[in-house]
Amino acid sequence: MDPAASITLRQLVMALGDSMLEVQAAPAGLDVEIRGVALLDPEDPPTAQPGDLVLAIGSRGRASLPALRAAGRDGATAVVVKLGDTGQATALSETAAEAGIALLSLRSDARWEQVSALARTALDEAPPDDPGASAEEGDLFSLAQTTAILTSGIVSIEDAANRVLAYSRTTDSDEADDLRRRSILGWQGPEGYLAKLREWGVFQHLHSSDEVIAIDSHPELGIRRRLAVAIRSGDRQLGTIWVQESSTPLSERSRQALLGAARVAALHLVRRRRELSDDVTLVRTLLAGLMDGSTGPQPLATHLGFDAARPAAVLGFSYGTTEAYEAGDAVGAPELAHTEVTNLVSVHIAARHRSALVTQVDSRIYVLLPQLPRSIDTDTLRGWAQEITDAARRHLGLPLRGSVGCLVPGLGAVPESRREADRILEAMVSAGVSAAVAALPDIQAEVLVSEILTLLSAHPEIRDPRLTALVEHDSRHQGRLAETLLTYLNSFGDVRAAAAQLHVHPNTLRYRLRRAEELTGLDLSRPDQRLLAMLQLRLPPTG
């Protein structure tokens, strides 16, 4: 466990869910930090370290009071106990409040070693406190939740020894079948069902293949239909992802989502096994350097075994506007949306291209697609990006924009593809492009006009002072002359069309145009003046 790793109590409870833990008291709120897991045997002195999650093993109900007081005294964050009756729960909650420590209750049929393992997993896989961290460095619980959203199922991630490492949350305990409940709580699945899996060759398939396998439901065993896929690193199986069907059928693209999730999960497990925290930082640094052109292609290619001479491209993604969030057209706050969408992008693109790397720079998410087949074209990449934006809106309610950077002959030209992806995203926002995904040929005019306007913004000396005065006049008098003029010009001089767009009478529009000419001295019969007005009036207001 990384000694610097930490998660909040809220993250722990959300990760493990009410199938394992329930909050009884949280006097300091749910955003307190957990930095370690301590096992407290009743025969040991009740001590803890600051920031610990203390597991009060072997004591139940009121017998846990000394451990609770001692943990509060030592600065621990929370204590997990198994409760007795309701009266004991009340007494423990009151003591926790007095001690200033959170109290969590563990289900009576859950195993202590399972909650310990899952809590340590949540800590080990805690995403780094770095805004540039990718989804591949996020936590397995978040990946499980994203996979559940994409498949409309209930997800568990296991290691090679069939120990549950992480699982998705369920809103209804009746959705989970007996096998899932027993697995999460640390008990083996029904032997009859495990025997069936061996008989059908499921374990053999998972051991030898990276293809998704379907397992039929068995109502007589209380088992619902499942999909499963091996998490692999080369020929070695690192674990398995299981998706249980709930009362809602699995989505049409469940298999594709599951393949992508397995490839992302493999990065988690390989890095944990090899303790490659330094490697994570190195890959992120090399990728950022390659994207902005400060580092050549060879270091990243050598480190990850990429062929730097094969075609590559960059996909860019950005969220909707602030107004979209305020209107509820996204999942929760932007921070939550970032985590969800980065995982979604990672899962989808990993299913399409095994070598893809996902990273975040400022408010944008980028996908580097190295080692592309030479036969690939922009239409294919546009389709991949479209799948991602469609999934973001369908599953997360998130207004995601995507751009397709140009295909380049090798990794050395990746900065060119990234710059093109950025140009497209910027133009999509400034020009109000309605399409969710675009490549440069789709909106070349909008991109060029957007860049011309950027140049005009940076050089006020080449603006027409008459147009500047018109905008200032509107500002002082709350007028709409500049808006009317621009709408008229955008409508190719069609008075009725412009008036309909502004919801005014055509005579009102004609009056405003005459008034604008009188105030400024503009002559709208001259093409050069019309062209300049169309450009300058599109500039954002200053001041």
Side-chain angles (χ1 to χ4, degrees), residues 189-486:
E191 179 53 38
Y193 183 69
L194 296 178
K196 285 286 187 183
L197 294 181
R198 288 190 288 268
E199 177 186 332
W200 297 332
V202 171
F203 292 130
Q204 181 179 355
H205 172 94
L206 293 171
H207 184 69
S208 59
S209 171
D210 58 2
E211 295 299 316
V212 176
I213 186 171
I215 302 102
D216 292 336
S217 64
H218 280 264
E220 72 279 8
L221 295 173
I223 304 301
R224 296 185 178 181
R225 177 174 176 261
R226 273 173 170 69
L227 297 179
V229 66
I231 303 168
R232 309 187 68 81
S233 176
D235 294 332
R236 176 181 296 178
Q237 183 182 356
L238 303 177
T240 309
I241 302 181
W242 300 85
V243 179
Q244 177 217 304
E245 190 170 66
S246 63
S247 56
T248 303
L250 296 176
S251 65
E252 293 181 3
R253 296 186 176 179
S254 291
R255 290 175 178 266
Q256 178 183 328
L258 205 51
L259 282 174
R263 292 170 183 174
V264 175
L267 296 170
H268 287 270
L269 300 185
V270 167
R271 286 168 179 166
R272 179 196 295 175
R273 178 174 293 188
R274 297 178 183 171
E275 298 180 351
L276 294 182
S277 58
D278 290 340
D279 180 73
V280 170
T281 302
L282 176 60
V283 170
R284 187 166 68 247
T285 301
L286 294 177
L287 178 57
L290 176 62
M291 289 280 217
D292 64 22
S294 62
T295 303
Q298 209 54 50
L300 183 67
T302 301
H303 185 68
L304 296 178
F306 290 163
D307 183 350
R310 286 178 58 182
V314 173
L315 306 181
F317 296 93
S318 66
Y319 304 152
T321 61
T322 302
E323 289 76 12
Y325 285 109
E326 293 174 349
D329 197 16
V331 170
E335 293 80 6
L336 176 58
H338 163 69
T339 300
E340 296 284 4
V341 78
T342 307
N343 275 327
L344 183 146
V345 170
S346 298
V347 168
H348 266 272
I349 204 63
R352 289 297 188 184
H353 190 61
R354 186 184 296 272
S355 302
L357 295 175
V358 180
T359 190
Q360 191 245 351
V361 179
D362 297 327
S363 61
R364 290 181 180 168
I365 295 170
Y366 296 96
V367 177
L368 172 63
L369 299 169
Q371 305 188 122
L372 289 168
R374 299 189 187 281
S375 59
I376 203 164
D377 56 22
T378 299
D379 286 343
T380 300
L381 301 185
R382 187 191 288 107
W384 292 359
Q386 188 70 54
E387 287 178 2
I388 290 170
T389 58
D390 288 348
R393 183 168 290 281
R394 183 170 60 251
H395 297 294
L396 304 179
L398 186 68
L400 193 66
R401 294 186 181 91
S403 63
V404 181
C406 55
L407 278 160
V408 292
L411 286 182
V414 160
E416 177 187 347
S417 185
R418 186 264 176 99
R419 282 194 295 272
E420 185 166 297
D422 280 336
R423 293 173 66 199
I424 295 166
L425 287 175
E426 287 157 9
M428 291 176 80
V429 174
S430 62
V433 175
S434 59
V437 174
L440 187 58
D442 304 326
I443 59 167
Q444 187 142 22
E446 289 87 344
V447 169
L448 294 175
V449 168
S450 174
E451 291 172 349
I452 289 170
L453 293 176
T454 299
L455 289 173
L456 278 177
S457 295
H459 293 278
E461 70 276 7
I462 60 176
R463 298 181 198 175
D464 188 330
R466 296 173 297 179
L467 294 167
T468 302
L470 181 64
V471 172
E472 292 173 349
H473 177 275
D474 278 351
S475 178
R476 288 194 305 271
H477 300 283
Q478 297 182 330
R480 300 180 64 187
L481 298 181
E483 178 191 11
T484 299
L485 176 55
L486 181 58

Side-chain angles (χ1 to χ4, degrees), residues 154 169-176 247:
I154 304 173
R169 302 183 296 277
T170 55
T171 56
D172 184 349
S173 59
D174 292 335
E175 296 284 300
S247 56

Side-chain angles (χ1 to χ4, degrees), residues 174-185:
D174 292 335
E175 296 284 300
D177 63 16
D178 185 54
L179 177 61
R180 173 183 166 86
R181 283 191 293 269
R182 291 165 68 95
S183 298
I184 289 176
L185 295 174

